[in-house]
PDB file of all heavy atoms in Angstrom:
ATOM      1  N   LEU A  63      -3.358  65.971 -39.737  1.00 86.00           N
ATOM      2  CA  LEU A  63      -2.566  64.803 -39.373  1.00 86.00           C
ATOM      3  C   LEU A  63      -2.332  64.790 -37.872  1.00 86.00           C
ATOM      4  O   LEU A  63      -1.919  65.785 -37.274  1.00 86.00           O
ATOM      5  CB  LEU A  63      -1.213  64.834 -40.105  1.00 86.00           C
ATOM      6  CG  LEU A  63      -1.282  64.672 -41.629  1.00 86.00           C
ATOM      7  CD1 LEU A  63       0.113  64.777 -42.213  1.00 86.00           C
ATOM      8  CD2 LEU A  63      -1.896  63.356 -42.006  1.00 86.00           C
ATOM      9  N   LYS A  64      -2.607  63.648 -37.292  1.00 91.00           N
ATOM     10  CA  LYS A  64      -2.390  63.463 -35.853  1.00 91.00           C
ATOM     11  C   LYS A  64      -1.204  62.515 -35.702  1.00 91.00           C
ATOM     12  O   LYS A  64      -1.327  61.304 -35.839  1.00 91.00           O
ATOM     13  CB  LYS A  64      -3.636  62.890 -35.194  1.00 91.00           C
ATOM     14  CG  LYS A  64      -4.834  63.801 -35.311  1.00 91.00           C
ATOM     15  CD  LYS A  64      -6.061  63.143 -34.715  1.00 91.00           C
ATOM     16  CE  LYS A  64      -7.260  64.064 -34.926  1.00 91.00           C
ATOM     17  NZ  LYS A  64      -8.501  63.419 -34.509  1.00 91.00           N
ATOM     18  N   LEU A  65      -0.040  63.111 -35.446  1.00 90.00           N
ATOM     19  CA  LEU A  65       1.207  62.366 -35.438  1.00 90.00           C
ATOM     20  C   LEU A  65       1.178  61.216 -34.427  1.00 90.00           C
ATOM     21  O   LEU A  65       1.602  60.110 -34.746  1.00 90.00           O
ATOM     22  CB  LEU A  65       2.383  63.305 -35.146  1.00 90.00           C
ATOM     23  CG  LEU A  65       3.766  62.670 -35.213  1.00 90.00           C
ATOM     24  CD1 LEU A  65       4.022  62.072 -36.583  1.00 90.00           C
ATOM     25  CD2 LEU A  65       4.820  63.681 -34.860  1.00 90.00           C
ATOM     26  N   GLN A  66       0.704  61.460 -33.234  1.00 94.00           N
ATOM     27  CA  GLN A  66       0.695  60.409 -32.212  1.00 94.00           C
ATOM     28  C   GLN A  66      -0.201  59.246 -32.621  1.00 94.00           C
ATOM     29  O   GLN A  66       0.178  58.081 -32.446  1.00 94.00           O
ATOM     30  CB  GLN A  66       0.232  60.970 -30.859  1.00 94.00           C
ATOM     31  CG  GLN A  66       0.383  59.987 -29.700  1.00 94.00           C
ATOM     32  CD  GLN A  66       1.815  59.518 -29.510  1.00 94.00           C
ATOM     33  OE1 GLN A  66       2.749  60.325 -29.484  1.00 94.00           O
ATOM     34  NE2 GLN A  66       1.997  58.215 -29.410  1.00 94.00           N
ATOM     35  N   ASP A  67      -1.356  59.556 -33.237  1.00 94.00           N
ATOM     36  CA  ASP A  67      -2.246  58.483 -33.699  1.00 94.00           C
ATOM     37  C   ASP A  67      -1.572  57.674 -34.794  1.00 94.00           C
ATOM     38  O   ASP A  67      -1.707  56.436 -34.831  1.00 94.00           O
ATOM     39  CB  ASP A  67      -3.554  59.074 -34.211  1.00 94.00           C
ATOM     40  CG  ASP A  67      -4.432  59.620 -33.089  1.00 94.00           C
ATOM     41  OD1 ASP A  67      -4.146  59.306 -31.914  1.00 94.00           O
ATOM     42  OD2 ASP A  67      -5.399  60.340 -33.384  1.00 94.00           O
ATOM     43  N   ILE A  68      -0.863  58.338 -35.702  1.00 94.00           N
ATOM     44  CA  ILE A  68      -0.177  57.640 -36.787  1.00 94.00           C
ATOM     45  C   ILE A  68       0.916  56.746 -36.205  1.00 94.00           C
ATOM     46  O   ILE A  68       1.068  55.576 -36.593  1.00 94.00           O
ATOM     47  CB  ILE A  68       0.404  58.639 -37.803  1.00 94.00           C
ATOM     48  CG1 ILE A  68      -0.746  59.339 -38.559  1.00 94.00           C
ATOM     49  CG2 ILE A  68       1.361  57.929 -38.781  1.00 94.00           C
ATOM     50  CD1 ILE A  68      -0.308  60.466 -39.461  1.00 94.00           C
ATOM     51  N   LEU A  69       1.691  57.254 -35.231  1.00 95.00           N
ATOM     52  CA  LEU A  69       2.749  56.464 -34.604  1.00 95.00           C
ATOM     53  C   LEU A  69       2.159  55.264 -33.846  1.00 95.00           C
ATOM     54  O   LEU A  69       2.699  54.145 -33.913  1.00 95.00           O
ATOM     55  CB  LEU A  69       3.584  57.326 -33.654  1.00 95.00           C
ATOM     56  CG  LEU A  69       4.466  58.381 -34.314  1.00 95.00           C
ATOM     57  CD1 LEU A  69       5.120  59.269 -33.270  1.00 95.00           C
ATOM     58  CD2 LEU A  69       5.517  57.719 -35.214  1.00 95.00           C
ATOM     59  N   ASP A  70       1.082  55.502 -33.127  1.00 96.00           N
ATOM     60  CA  ASP A  70       0.416  54.404 -32.415  1.00 96.00           C
ATOM     61  C   ASP A  70      -0.067  53.348 -33.394  1.00 96.00           C
ATOM     62  O   ASP A  70       0.061  52.140 -33.129  1.00 96.00           O
ATOM     63  CB  ASP A  70      -0.773  54.924 -31.608  1.00 96.00           C
ATOM     64  CG  ASP A  70      -0.351  55.752 -30.398  1.00 96.00           C
ATOM     65  OD1 ASP A  70       0.846  55.690 -30.022  1.00 96.00           O
ATOM     66  OD2 ASP A  70      -1.220  56.447 -29.844  1.00 96.00           O
ATOM     67  N   ASN A  71      -0.605  53.775 -34.518  1.00 96.00           N
ATOM     68  CA  ASN A  71      -1.092  52.855 -35.523  1.00 96.00           C
ATOM     69  C   ASN A  71       0.066  52.051 -36.123  1.00 96.00           C
ATOM     70  O   ASN A  71      -0.061  50.842 -36.327  1.00 96.00           O
ATOM     71  CB  ASN A  71      -1.840  53.619 -36.635  1.00 96.00           C
ATOM     72  CG  ASN A  71      -2.346  52.703 -37.706  1.00 96.00           C
ATOM     73  OD1 ASN A  71      -1.620  52.390 -38.659  1.00 96.00           O
ATOM     74  ND2 ASN A  71      -3.568  52.226 -37.543  1.00 96.00           N
ATOM     75  N   GLN A  72       1.179  52.705 -36.396  1.00 97.00           N
ATOM     76  CA  GLN A  72       2.354  51.995 -36.942  1.00 97.00           C
ATOM     77  C   GLN A  72       2.865  50.944 -35.943  1.00 97.00           C
ATOM     78  O   GLN A  72       3.219  49.850 -36.321  1.00 97.00           O
ATOM     79  CB  GLN A  72       3.479  52.983 -37.290  1.00 97.00           C
ATOM     80  CG  GLN A  72       3.191  53.796 -38.532  1.00 97.00           C
ATOM     81  CD  GLN A  72       4.271  54.833 -38.805  1.00 97.00           C
ATOM     82  OE1 GLN A  72       5.051  55.205 -37.926  1.00 97.00           O
ATOM     83  NE2 GLN A  72       4.327  55.304 -40.034  1.00 97.00           N
TER      84      GLN A  72
END
Side-chain angles (χ1 to χ4, degrees):
L63 293 178
K64 298 176 183 173
L65 185 59
Q66 188 59 48
D67 289 346
I68 291 172
L69 291 174
D70 289 345
N71 180 273
Q72 286 176 340

